[in-house]
């Protein structure tokens, strides 16, 4: 009787320990939507609590498969933890079966769809215990987990805990794959909507870049456009719809279409903004947006600006210094308040005009004046092309790691040599 009671108490203790471990697994595995991070968290969770070494291998190109998995399916190492020397005896068994010993533990676990345990003796007479668990969730298998330790074989409770951790990680891997697919779809939509800007007049050199933010966001409403006007003039546009996601991208495309229509009437920039603001505010379904317009006139050597809540443009002089232009800032588009003003600046042929969205300069917790002063402090190489200046600005402001989407446009009047003097009639 006492022996039976003691066994029940031991079983209860083991069950409580297993529940505590399960709770820890929920907190420590799947903290992000990043696939590799999930694999690292799984391996580190198991070591050193349940094993001396752990490895996570994912399926090859397709990334997931349904059971049964073909034996020739390739595996790629994604994460390890613990003692690498204990994984070395298993190294030749990953990917393809060993002709002499037959299918490896990991390959058999993939094929069976449940944990496979084994023991082996390595050099020095040390016994190794291994358990291989498929990363299986919702009928799809993403890879295999291998846990190895020196000494005793894994108990049923330990194997069940490892199996639970593997299933939990597999669920999060599925979420990460679906998130990546959604993000790719959204980015493709953003690129399709953004497309290339219209062709400016031949008297203008132009370069543009669009950089989506990191993996934590989908897409935004950043956009740029160029519209040909009469008499060799071109309207340059930089806009940013508030918010992120597909809805912001769709609103961005609506703004772009409306702007093309209004700009075709050849109104001055501040009246273009006024018409856009009125149209969007009457609609009521569009998100507000900031917008900066620059009507450039190479023949007269001037640029005329108007802003709806947007950051000011910058001009890089022929010496390579940066000049932040003061443009009166009106309300964002969609408020119905209007009140946009014009400002005109002479623009010489060697100078480069830079227009951008806030993702280029803004940093979390930093005042916008500090952010703009960083851009104003840049010095460009004299004689650099518009593409070179754009790439240099992006590199020196680390725009590829920005927290928000970045859209930039650089423009310069194209230098045209004067025609040769007419020959006098002989």
């Amino acid at each position: 009787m006492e022996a039976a009671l003691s066994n029940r108490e031991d079983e209860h203790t083991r069950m409580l320990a297993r529940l505590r471990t399960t709770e820890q697994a929920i907190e420590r595995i799947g903290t992000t939507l990043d696939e590799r991070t999930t694999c690292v968290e799984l391996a580190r969770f198991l070591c050193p609590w349940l094993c001396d070494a752990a490895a996570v291998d994912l399926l090859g190109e397709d990334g997931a498969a349904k059971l049964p998995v073909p034996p020739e399916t390739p595996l790629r190492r994604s994460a390890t933890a613990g003692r690498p020397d204990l994984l070395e005896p298993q190294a030749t068994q990953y990917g393809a079966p060993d002709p002499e010993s037959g299918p490896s533990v990991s390959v058999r676990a993939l094929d069976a769809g449940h944990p496979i345990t084994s023991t082996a003796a390595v050099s020095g007479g040390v016994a190794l215990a291994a358990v291989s668990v498929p990363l299986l969730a919702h009928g799809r298998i993403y890879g295999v987990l291998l846990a190895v330790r020196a000494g005793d074989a894994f108990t049923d409770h330990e194997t069940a805990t490892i199996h639970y951790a593997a299933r939990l990680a597999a669920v999060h891997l599925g979420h990460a794959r679906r998130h990546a697919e959604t993000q790719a779809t959204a980015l493709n939509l953003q690129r399709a909507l953004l497309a290339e800007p219209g062709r400016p007049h031949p008297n203008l050199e132009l370069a543009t870049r669009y950089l989506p933010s990191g993996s934590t966001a989908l897409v935004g409403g950043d956009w740029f456009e160029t519209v040909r006007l009469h008499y060799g003039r071109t309207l340059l546009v930089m806009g940013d719809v508030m918010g992120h996601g597909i809805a912001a991208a769709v609103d961005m495309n609506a703004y772009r279409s409306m702007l093309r229509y209004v700009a075709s009437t050849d109104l001055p920039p501040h009246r273009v903004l006024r018409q856009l603001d009125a149209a969007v505010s009457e609609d009521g379904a569009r998100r507000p947006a900031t917008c900066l317009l620059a009507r450039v006139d190479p023949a007269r050597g001037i640029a005329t600006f108007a802003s709806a809540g947007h950051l000011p443009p910058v001009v890089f002089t022929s010496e390579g210094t940066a000049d932040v232009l003061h443009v009166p800032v009106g309300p964002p588009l969609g408020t119905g308040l209007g009140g946009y003003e014009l400002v005109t600046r002479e623009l010489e042929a060697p100078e480069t005009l830079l227009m951008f969205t806030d993702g280029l300069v803004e940093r979390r917790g930093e005042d916008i004046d500090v952010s703009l002063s960083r851009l104003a402090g840049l010095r460009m190489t004299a004689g650099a092309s518009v593409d070179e200046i754009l790439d240099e600005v992006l590199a020196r402001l680390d725009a590829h790691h920005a927290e928000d989407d970045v859209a930039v446009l650089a423009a310069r009047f194209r230098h045209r040599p004067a025609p040769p003097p007419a020959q006098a009639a002989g």
Side-chain angles (χ1 to χ4, degrees), residues 9-27:
E9 290 177 350
D10 290 344
E11 181 70 15
H12 180 67
T13 301
R14 287 192 292 267
M15 287 296 297
L16 288 178
R18 181 174 165 186
L19 287 174
R20 286 193 294 268
T21 305
T22 299
E23 291 175 352
Q24 293 175 0
I26 293 174
E27 292 182 357

Side-chain angles (χ1 to χ4, degrees), residues 343-365:
V343 63
T344 299
R345 183 193 190 276
E346 292 185 359
L347 200 63
E348 300 178 357
E351 295 182 319
T352 302
L353 172 66
L354 183 74
M355 301 167 63
F356 51 91
T357 54
D358 53 10
L360 177 68
V361 294
E362 286 188 349
R363 300 295 180 264
R364 186 176 301 176

Side-chain angles (χ1 to χ4, degrees), residues 137-188:
H138 306 300
R140 300 192 66 82
I141 193 163
Y142 298 93
V144 62
L145 163 69
L146 177 67
V148 181
R149 73 181 182 192
D152 297 335
F154 291 94
T155 67
D156 291 341
H157 278 287
E158 291 171 334
T159 301
T161 301
I162 295 173
H163 191 197
Y164 173 82
R167 291 292 294 268
L168 178 64
V171 170
H172 288 294
L173 287 174
H175 293 164
R177 297 281 172 83
R178 286 189 290 274
H179 173 73
E181 291 171 359
T182 302
Q183 186 178 39
T185 300
L187 289 176
N188 288 334

Side-chain angles (χ1 to χ4, degrees), residues 274-293:
R274 190 184 308 164
Q275 296 237 9
L276 277 175
D277 179 53
V280 175
S281 61
E282 289 176 3
D283 183 342
R286 303 297 176 192
R287 303 182 181 200
T290 65
C291 187
L292 175 66
L293 302 184

Side-chain angles (χ1 to χ4, degrees), residues 389-408:
I389 287 179
L390 209 53
D391 290 337
E392 185 70 11
V393 168
L394 293 173
R396 291 169 65 176
L397 294 182
D398 196 24
H400 292 274
H401 299 95
E403 298 174 351
D404 198 1
D405 297 348
V406 176
V408 285

Side-chain angles (χ1 to χ4, degrees), residues 64-84:
K66 294 182 179 180
L67 293 174
V69 180
E72 67 275 7
T73 301
L75 295 170
R76 54 183 172 86
R77 178 65 49 85
S78 182
T80 60
R83 293 172 52 183

Side-chain angles (χ1 to χ4, degrees), residues 41-52 54 145 147 161-162 165:
E41 290 170 346
L42 173 61
R44 290 179 178 176
F45 170 75
L46 296 176
C47 293
W49 305 108
L50 292 171
C51 60
D52 297 319
L145 163 69
T161 301
I162 295 173

Side-chain angles (χ1 to χ4, degrees), residues 8-9 13 29 31 33 36 65 79 100-101 114 160 250 256 259 271 278 294 314 336 353 355 373 422:
R8 283 198 296 272
E9 290 177 350
T13 301
I29 299 174
T31 61
L33 284 172
R36 186 179 182 280
E100 296 182 0
S101 60
H114 57 73
V250 171
R256 188 176 187 179
L259 181 132
R271 292 187 61 188
V314 170
L353 172 66
M355 301 167 63
S373 65

